[in-house]
Amino acid sequence: MTSLRRFSTAARQVSILGRQFETDQLTNVSESVLTRIPRRLHKIPNHPIAIVKARIEAYFHKTNSRYAVLDSMSPAVSVADNFDRLLIAPDHSSRSPSDTYYINKDTVLRCHTSAHQHEVLASKASDTGYLLTADVYRRDEIDLSHYPIFHQMEGIRIFDKKSLLSESASDVFEPLPKGTKVIDSTGLSNTSTNPIQPAHSQADSEIVGAHLKRSLEGMVWELFGHDKNLEIRWIEAFFPFTSPSWEMEVYYQGKWLEVLGCGVMQQKILDDTGNSDKIGWAFGLGLERIAMVMFGIPDIRLFWSQDPRFLSQFDSHETKPAITFQPYSKYPSCYKDVSFWCPDGFHDNDMFEVVRDVAGDLAEDVALIDTFKNSKTGRTSKCFRINYRSMDRNLVNEDVDIIQDKVRAEIERRCGVELRG
């Protein structure tokens, strides 16, 4: 717990979208994350995140116009909603403060859109289902494809158990184009590796699973169908909140891409929200992952850019669906190393958080390049290489040296390390 206190917010309260929260010894939400919360990229017109969101919503509304759309939920959620009510085990690694942003011991920044399942299902916002988009938060490494804030969409479709067959048949699906290649050796369940829940009959579970797969196959064709070599592949998976569960991959522009996870909803989640007469499916996907591939965006930091040279490229998305991002600058990297002896309880994500706070988006990636354990003292030394590169200007070595000195000082102060060299 000592190392965690070094990350505690100094103020006794933090403000999130106008709401005040008390802090405590578990608080580890950084200033760099707090300042980005109001941005809500998925609600900015013509932003690539918002474009992908709108295309998915339009597809599902063609299948059934009664899906509710939710995109303004607060990112501050209870630990119970984020973990417990989703049947995530008490010892699951995602609960660790090294992975999750804790506002206090009872409240976190949501790690996934599923954190709102209990609230939305209990509210009976729709008797059909909903599409919920939100910014989500995870402490993570620093590189071109990881950022502490990203965007997810969750879709849920529920059916009345008594009229499952007729309700599932009422949704409208256009036939996939002739020759579409769908690779699926998983079937709709597997007794040993992907079981049907005891609360469900085989017939009901398979109707829901088939509806789910058909819905999502149509969705990815809507997104990626301009690639005539597109392939879809289903893989068995495990998630605490669905069973049977699957992941979908697509073969797009010559590469396999993991797109989403999904499955038949755990009946207990529906029962606990007053929907014991329902059965349903759920999926979740990352919007950045899709947008980066769809538009050829090479660096996840670009989504946060306010440079018109980035944003203006997507203004014509309604008349030109197949937009390819055109790089407008590529400035040179400036590499700096930092090495230190690690205290007990040190986690790499603690150091990454310091770099993000001090250097912001000037840090393109941080790589561990050496680890050494002293056989006499048992102490561990690590050396990280920070790649500084601006997306909109040239960085001179003298400017980077100033940032690097601040990074070193803050790592020492906040992580309790002993600097070397």
Side-chain angles (χ1 to χ4, degrees), residues 210-224:
H211 188 280
L212 166 65
K213 288 187 172 183
R214 182 63 188 86
S215 299
L216 296 178
E217 288 166 2
M219 181 197 75
V220 298
W221 187 264
E222 190 83 6
L223 296 175
F224 300 112

Side-chain angles (χ1 to χ4, degrees), residues 255 287 318 343 345 376:
K255 295 181 180 179
L287 294 176
E318 291 184 353
K376 293 183 179 180

Side-chain angles (χ1 to χ4, degrees), residues 130-177:
Y130 63 82
L131 302 165
L132 191 155
T133 304
D135 39 334
V136 299
Y137 302 78
R138 295 180 194 171
R139 301 185 77 204
D140 214 335
E141 58 195 295
I142 300 175
D143 60 30
L144 294 177
S145 61
H146 291 86
Y147 206 80
I149 311 168
F150 56 104
H151 296 77
Q152 283 187 343
M153 176 183 283
E154 174 169 284
I156 282 183
R157 176 70 165 97
I158 54 176
F159 309 91
D160 190 301
K161 289 179 179 178
K162 293 182 179 178
S163 52
L164 170 59
L165 193 59
S166 60
E167 285 188 20
S168 62
S170 67
D171 287 4
V172 179
F173 297 113
E174 295 181 6
L176 293 177

Side-chain angles (χ1 to χ4, degrees), residues 3 6-7 28-33 101 139-140 142 148 338 340 346-361 363 366 386 388 403-417 419:
S3 64
R6 295 189 185 104
F7 274 85
N28 64 353
V29 183
S30 63
E31 189 64 26
S32 62
V33 167
Y101 287 108
R139 301 185 77 204
D140 214 335
I142 300 175
V338 57
F340 47 80
F346 173 82
H347 193 285
D348 292 357
N349 282 353
D350 295 341
M351 181 263 192
F352 297 150
E353 203 68 28
V354 174
V355 175
R356 291 191 191 280
D357 273 357
V358 177
D361 286 347
V366 179
I386 305 173
Y388 294 97
I403 299 171
Q404 178 72 357
D405 287 344
K406 292 179 180 178
V407 167
R408 286 169 54 86
E410 282 299 290
I411 292 172
E412 182 177 41
R413 183 181 72 85
R414 289 168 54 175
C415 299
V417 305
L419 294 172

Side-chain angles (χ1 to χ4, degrees), residues 274-287:
N275 289 283
S276 58
D277 58 332
K278 305 291 186 182
I279 186 172
W281 54 249
F283 75 85
L285 55 81
L287 294 176

